[in-house]
Amino acid sequence: GELVVATDDSVYRLALADGKLLAAAPAPGAASAPWIRHDSLLILVTGAGVVAAMRVNDLQLAWQVQVDGPILVPPALSGDTVWLETQPGTIYRIPLAHPEAERFAAFPDPVSAPPTPWRAWVLVGMADGTLRALDTAGVEVWRVEVGRPLVQAPIALSDGFVIVGGRGDLHRMVLR
């Protein structure tokens, strides 16, 4: 068997039996958040606003897109879509079948937590301490203030979610 290891700036494929290096490749930029694995792809985001996918089998670049600013918050993967936010406050969705950065929503205030797809909404944690729910068109449906800044993604539950407020306080939201 083999093991793939992704670092901040490289990807390695190693033999499980003896740890021998089988292949190595540079990443298309320095990772600003943990890599995401989706099927045969490793997905990287960078502080230079690059989102890229490398194929696990040959460590080659599968695709790369540029967004409007640094990506400092880990992206989220929901089904076959990558969700991410940039420092200027833009939320993007990137469908993996046709990887193009689609601008989903933009905010004048910084987004500080990973965007979280949940049911028919995308939950967005803001530096001002609000959690906002956006519908599939990127329109705000509701918001709740829980303490600044929100840096953790909401924890999804079957009937709602838990939000970790900016002071470490927990908020349980039940939606009917």
Side-chain angles (χ1 to χ4, degrees), residues 8-97:
D8 287 345
D9 62 0
S10 302
V11 182
Y12 303 93
R13 204 168 64 242
L14 308 170
L16 275 178
D18 60 6
K20 180 181 176 185
L21 179 64
L22 302 173
S32 58
W35 293 69
I36 297 175
R37 171 89 189 251
H38 182 270
D39 295 334
S40 63
L41 297 176
L42 287 173
I43 300 166
L44 161 82
V45 297
T46 75
V50 172
V51 184
M54 296 181 75
R55 293 187 298 269
V56 172
N57 62 343
D58 63 5
L59 304 185
Q60 295 299 306
L61 186 66
W63 53 263
Q64 178 174 316
V65 297
Q66 182 73 43
V67 293
D68 70 347
I71 305 163
L72 304 177
V73 173
L77 183 64
S78 178
D80 63 353
T81 302
V82 175
W83 293 88
L84 60 100
E85 65 86 13
T86 62
Q87 191 175 32
T90 308
I91 305 289
Y92 287 93
R93 64 176 158 209
I94 301 174
L96 296 177

Side-chain angles (χ1 to χ4, degrees), residues 98-120:
H98 305 285
E100 293 181 16
E102 298 173 6
R103 184 179 162 131
F104 181 71
F107 299 95
D109 302 314
V111 178
S112 55
T116 305
W118 187 78
R119 295 188 180 174

